[in-house]
Amino acid sequence: MSILVTGGAGYIGSHTVIELQNAGEEVVVVDNLVNSSRESLRRVEKITGKPVKFYEADINDAAKLEEIFDREAVESVIHFAGLKAVGESVEKPLEYYMNNISGSLVLFNTMRKYNVKNIIFSSSATVYGNPSFVPITEECPKGKITNPYGKTKEMLEEILIDIQKADSEWNVILLRYFNPIGAHESGTMGENPRGIPNNLMPYITQVAVGKLKKLGVFGDDYDTPDGTCIRDYIHVVDLAAGHVKAVSKLRKKPGISVYNLGTGTGSSVLDVIKSFEAATGVKIPYEVKPRRAGDVPVCYCDAGKAARELGWKAQYDLKKMCEDSWRWQKNNPEGYVD
Ligand code: NAD
Ligand code: UFG
């Protein structure tokens, strides 16, 4: 039986495929490559020494999904596929709802048709909005979400909860990721944003490699120790390992479960810059800019539930995240080249 990984050619998906294959799981990847490259999976194959079964397909394409479910013995699905740029989602809400919501509904419907009722869904700390307390536990009420991307995460969580409520044969694990950064330590795989990066770490590494001149720090007047926003950065390999643990949990038929995946440690933007400079010896010129709309001041998790129930805990610290991000960027200044 296989685990079908939608979006498996992407940043988190490809690292998860490595961990799944290393754990002896059979993996089938479905991705339309809208934000990724076929090359990422070739690199996975080099690392694991195992072929990756890959279907280039859009999850909105019901006929194609049925073909895949006809051919493969799918036990469960890890659903990464989706568009994820917050700013772009404000500009193109319909594209985001069509891709993320409609695409997911087609996927869930196909799963039901083939009696595959086990799913792990990539959710986000964004569902907490501006959290009503930190560290954020899974009991923290969901907050106001200001962009369509975040709303798709919140809606898909609710849709999966309703599906499971109506049919207890479904097992659903919602994983709320905090801020994934870092890269595979081989330096051959990592995050490969198209165009100018929106997120902090890819921006820093592109400044470090000379593709961008200077980092903008979005606001230094927040109510935090150094005035910059605090996030819970988590190494992508730790995050990937969390999915392997979630697959084991899914096999115990948990019904519905929700887990935060983060380290439990908050770091400010300036902490990340300093840590990157210390880990790599490369200076990051920066300039303080106005606050970015929609940023919450402080967001870090209580990772205790995942530790207790999944037996998972993040292993890597910020220094290692910076070292590995830098190794990837330095060795692959243009990212993956197909
Ligand atoms: P990514 O863009 O690298 O990966 C997503 C993959 O999905 C890409 O390979 C893309 O080509 C594919 N895809 C998109 N739409 C598709 C469709 N209709 N059909 C088939 N494939 C499609 O992003 P990522 O950082 O690896 O994120 C993976 C998941 O985790 C996403 O759902 C994202 O929203 C979620 N997430 C990411 C973060 C983060 O900071 N990276 C944080 C929280 C949650
Ligand atoms: N930042 C800068 N300069 C930059 C980029 C970011 O100062 O050029 C700051 C941001 O203002 C924020 C911090 O760095 O304070 C982290 O920003 P990211 O864009 O890297 O990450 P976010 O926390 O804003 O967003 C991430 C994911 C979203 C997800 C959100 C909440 O990218 O998909 O976490 O889970 F919705």
Side-chain angles (χ1 to χ4, degrees):
M1 297 289 279
S2 307
I3 299 170
L4 188 141
V5 181
T6 74
Y11 172 49
I12 304 170
S14 58
H15 286 83
T16 301
V17 174
I18 294 177
E19 298 306 309
L20 289 168
Q21 287 195 325
N22 284 346
E25 301 287 356
E26 292 293 321
V27 179
V28 174
V29 170
V30 174
D31 199 303
N32 67 356
L33 305 180
V34 67
N35 195 40
S36 53
S37 153
R38 180 72 185 83
E39 179 61 20
S40 67
L41 295 177
R42 291 191 200 106
R43 307 239 174 141
V44 169
E45 289 174 337
K46 272 199 190 127
I47 288 168
T48 65
K50 295 178 188 165
V52 177
K53 202 174 258 186
F54 173 61
Y55 292 92
E56 186 170 341
D58 191 315
I59 54 165
N60 277 288
D61 184 344
K64 185 82 193 183
L65 281 188
E66 289 193 10
E67 232 175 78
I68 296 166
F69 277 79
D70 272 332
R71 287 172 66 160
E72 305 293 340
V74 179
E75 170 196 336
S76 54
V77 172
I78 306 182
H79 181 29
F80 293 104
L83 299 173
K84 63 160 185 177
V86 171
E88 184 185 61
S89 78
V90 176
E91 307 293 321
K92 299 180 176 173
L94 192 51
E95 279 76 3
Y96 270 68
Y97 290 121
M98 300 249 310
N99 193 71
N100 293 8
I101 303 285
S102 302
S104 297
L105 295 179
V106 172
L107 173 70
F108 304 158
N109 196 38
T110 311
M111 289 174 66
R112 180 174 62 174
K113 190 164 174 186
Y114 285 80
N115 208 29
V116 176
K117 294 183 175 175
N118 302 307
I119 186 164
I120 295 169
F121 174 60
S122 297
S123 188
S124 166
T126 200
V127 301
Y128 295 114
N130 191 2
S132 40
F133 56 84
V134 287
I136 303 168
T137 65
E138 291 77 358
E139 278 70 48
C140 183
K142 291 191 204 170
K144 183 164 170 43
I145 303 166
T146 53
N147 62 82
Y149 162 71
K151 288 177 188 171
T152 68
K153 291 293 165 198
E154 147 70 7
M155 288 176 198
L156 286 166
E157 282 200 358
E158 293 300 320
I159 289 167
L160 284 167
I161 290 168
D162 285 343
I163 290 173
Q164 200 281 332
K165 217 186 273 175
D167 177 357
S168 61
E169 283 179 11
W170 280 82
N171 294 292
V172 174
I173 298 184
L174 307 175
L175 297 179
R176 295 179 179 155
Y177 310 155
F178 282 66
N179 286 59
I181 60 170
H184 192 265
E185 82 173 338
S186 64
T188 62
M189 297 187 48
E191 192 169 5
N192 187 32
R194 303 218 160 137
I196 296 177
N198 300 305
N199 301 114
L200 182 62
M201 184 52 81
Y203 207 107
I204 289 178
T205 59
Q206 292 203 13
V207 170
V209 85
K211 288 177 80 177
L212 295 168
K213 279 209 161 56
K214 201 188 257 186
L215 173 73
V217 171
F218 298 142
D220 68 349
D221 56 352
Y222 287 97
D223 185 16
T224 61
D226 67 20
T228 66
C229 292
I230 290 177
R231 294 288 181 274
D232 186 336
Y233 296 94
I234 172 168
H235 197 296
V236 67
V237 173
D238 274 331
L239 191 64
H243 291 74
V244 177
K245 297 288 190 183
V247 166
S248 302
K249 177 79 179 176
L250 209 50
R251 292 191 174 125
K252 296 183 185 136
K253 306 201 175 303
I256 181 111
S257 300
V258 186
Y259 298 103
N260 288 334
L261 294 185
T263 61
T265 302
S267 307
S268 72
V269 177
L270 297 183
D271 288 336
V272 177
I273 297 172
K274 278 184 220 138
S275 188
F276 186 88
E277 291 180 339
T280 66
V282 184
K283 192 102 193 106
I284 302 299
Y286 70 85
E287 155 180 36
V288 176
K289 294 249 177 84
R291 292 180 176 196
R292 183 172 70 176
D295 276 344
V296 302
V298 180
C299 177
Y300 63 97
C301 78
D302 178 329
K305 188 178 177 202
R308 288 188 302 275
E309 295 188 13
L310 299 179
W312 171 88
K313 201 172 173 308
Q315 307 292 318
Y316 300 124
D317 61 10
L318 189 54
K319 176 168 177 278
K320 168 84 171 151
M321 299 179 215
C322 292
E323 285 166 358
D324 289 343
S325 292
W326 177 227
R327 191 177 303 110
W328 153 250
Q329 180 75 74
K330 196 172 45 170
N331 294 350
N332 304 268
E334 301 308 324
Y336 296 116
V337 184
D338 260 329

